[in-house]
């Protein structure tokens, strides 16, 4: 399902009066915990009170819990745990990201789909979301466990005005945004270089950045973000037990997935805007503040092979600077392993 907030091309919206069901939902979502009177909704959206009532009932039929109290109006109590355009769209407060949402029940990989869409001319900010990935991909050729209905798998298409050599900065932008979204969901997350989000040393989110570029121009960047939201400890495949966790395990209560998706996109857009306005400086500072790598002894793939040393800093390109026995080594790609405790990437 492809949906554009307030877009009559959205097939779901065309089934009812074009756009109005989403608009009623958006209105209720915006009011958060407050009641909105039927009169206010009908006045604002130019609908009859009977039409408002009909849309409220249609939404209830799709799993939305909407309270109706005489003289107070309507209040959105719960949204269904689905990652469709109808669930995410009304919760978005972004100007670009997610204004076009491509939502699927099951696809091989949201990154693969986003790449196809980008090659076919998709706009900056289009987002691909799936309930389940059958071939979810991680960094360095690894797979990404993507069971249905538990977590978040999304890919954002960007068309940045950046020279290709600066595109890796966007990965660090995404890691700061993902870390911040996890923190706002109530867990003490930190970033392991370059872009793993960890909680208590266990991996909760990962980012796979892909791009299409010529020597002096970026055509598109796809930021693929996977966040373990509601997987229980028994849901992880054997090789991830003891190295991965989820937000619900860490905070002790389930995470409403559409709400988290909208919050993540909003967070990402704010950090991308800051990056576009002020460059990498503030991102570097934000990354440092959230880092769980700096100051730790790490093992990393340096230019001349594996090195061990203390991670001192990231430089102005995002490379990790490791103080090894032979001097300062710049690590530009690959993994680092935090020495002396369980590490999500394994030894
Ligand atoms: C990593 O830490 O190795 C990166 C994991 C990235 C996973 C996400 S899930 C959404 C998007 N689609 C993919 O196939 N991969 C990324």
């Amino acid at each position: 399902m492809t949906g554009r907030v307030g877009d009559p091309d959205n097939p779901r919206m065309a089934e009812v009066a074009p756009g109005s069901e989403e608009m009623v939902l958006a209105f209720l979502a915006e009011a958060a915990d407050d009641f909105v009177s039927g009169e206010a909704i009908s006045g604002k959206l130019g609908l009859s009170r009977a039409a408002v009532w009909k849309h409220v009932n249609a939404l209830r039929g799709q799993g939305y819990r909407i309270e109706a109290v005489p003289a107070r109006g309507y209040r959105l109590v719960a949204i269904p745990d689905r990652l469709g355009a109808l669930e995410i769209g009304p919760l978005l407060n972004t100007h670009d990201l997610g204004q076009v949402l491509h939502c699927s029940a099951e696809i091989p990989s949201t990154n693969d789909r986003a790449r196809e869409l980008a090659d076919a001319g998709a706009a900056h900010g289009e987002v691909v979301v799936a309930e389940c990935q059958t071939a979810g991909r991680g960094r360095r050729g690894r797979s990404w466990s993507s069971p249905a209905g538990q977590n978040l798998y999304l890919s954002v298409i960007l068309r940045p005005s950046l020279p290709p050599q600066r595109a890796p900065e966007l990965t660090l932008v995404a890691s700061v945004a993902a870390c911040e979204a996890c923190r706002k969901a109530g867990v003490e997350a930190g970033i392991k270089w370059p872009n793993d989000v960890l909680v208590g040393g266990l991996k909760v989110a990962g980012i796979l950045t892909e791009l299409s570029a010529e020597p002096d121009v970026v055509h598109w960047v796809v930021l693929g973000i996977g966040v373990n939201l509601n997987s229980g400890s028994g849901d992880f495949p054997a090789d991830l037990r003891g190295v991965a966790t989820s937000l619900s395990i860490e905070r002790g209560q389930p995470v409403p997935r559409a709400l988290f998706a909208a919050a993540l996109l909003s967070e990402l857009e704010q950090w991308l805007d800051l990056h576009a306005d002020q460059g990498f400086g503030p991102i570097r500072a934000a990354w440092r503040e959230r880092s769980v790598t700096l100051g730790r002894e790490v093992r990393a793939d340096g230019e001349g092979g594996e090195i061990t040393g203390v991670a001192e800093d990231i430089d102005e390109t995002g490379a990790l600077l490791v103080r090894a026995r032979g001097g300062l080594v710049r690590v530009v790609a690959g993994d680092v392993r935090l020495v002396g405790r369980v590490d999500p990437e394994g030894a």
Side-chain angles (χ1 to χ4, degrees), residues 136 138-139 141-147 201-203 228 232-245 342-347:
R139 289 172 60 235
R142 287 184 280 252
S143 62
W144 185 259
S145 168
S146 309
L202 304 178
K203 184 155 167 172
N228 299 329
S233 33
D235 294 324
F236 289 109
D239 59 327
L240 292 183
R241 294 201 188 132
V243 291
T245 188
V342 182
D343 181 63
E345 301 304 351

Side-chain angles (χ1 to χ4, degrees), residues 94-329:
T94 50
H95 47 80
D96 289 329
L97 300 199
Q99 293 302 308
V100 176
L101 288 163
H102 304 267
C103 299
S104 303
E106 180 181 297
I107 51 176
S109 153
T110 57
N111 262 40
D112 292 351
R113 182 77 190 115
R115 293 171 58 128
E116 286 164 13
L117 288 163
D119 278 336
H124 174 82
E126 292 194 24
V127 169
V128 180
V129 187
E131 290 279 357
C132 162
Q133 298 184 117
T134 52
R137 295 187 288 113
R139 289 172 60 235
R140 298 169 75 78
R142 287 184 280 252
S143 62
W144 185 259
S145 168
S146 309
Q150 297 180 358
N151 302 317
L152 179 63
Y153 321 112
L154 66 75
S155 300
V156 182
I157 297 166
L158 302 177
R159 296 198 181 272
S161 310
L162 274 183
Q165 15 351 323
R166 288 192 54 205
E169 294 172 16
L170 297 173
T171 300
L172 277 76
V173 174
S175 66
V176 169
C179 179
E180 206 47 33
C182 292
R183 286 186 176 189
K184 287 184 177 160
V187 301
E188 232 350 276
I191 310 170
K192 191 189 82 157
W193 189 89
N195 54 19
D196 290 342
V197 181
L198 309 188
V199 182
L202 304 178
K203 184 155 167 172
V204 76
I207 294 154
L208 176 65
T209 307
E210 299 183 295
L211 92 160
S212 158
E214 284 174 55
D216 55 352
V217 63
V218 173
H219 299 306
W220 51 253
V221 170
V222 166
L223 288 177
I225 308 178
V227 188
N228 299 329
L229 295 181
N230 292 325
S231 284
S233 33
D235 294 324
F236 289 109
D239 59 327
L240 292 183
R241 294 201 188 132
V243 291
T245 188
S246 71
L247 291 186
S248 70
I249 293 172
E250 297 300 324
R251 68 180 208 160
Q253 56 172 317
V255 178
R257 293 183 306 145
L259 212 59
F260 186 88
L264 175 62
L265 290 173
S266 162
E267 201 65 55
L268 181 58
E269 187 165 87
Q270 287 172 47
W271 289 102
L272 285 168
D273 286 351
L274 183 67
H275 181 252
D277 289 349
Q278 296 181 30
F280 188 55
I283 306 303
R284 185 182 177 195
W287 189 96
R288 279 183 181 129
E289 276 167 27
R290 292 160 183 76
S291 164
V292 294
T293 307
L294 299 184
R296 294 282 307 269
E297 190 176 13
V298 298
R299 203 165 291 146
D301 301 322
E303 270 147 21
E306 193 174 82
I307 53 147
T308 302
V310 176
E312 267 191 10
D313 202 355
I314 53 168
D315 71 11
E316 62 294 337
T317 68
L320 185 69
L321 303 174
V322 178
R323 177 72 56 189
R325 221 182 281 150
L328 201 60
V329 180

Side-chain angles (χ1 to χ4, degrees), residues 27 39 49 182 245 335:
F27 212 81
E39 197 180 353
R49 297 284 292 276
C182 292
T245 188
D335 290 324

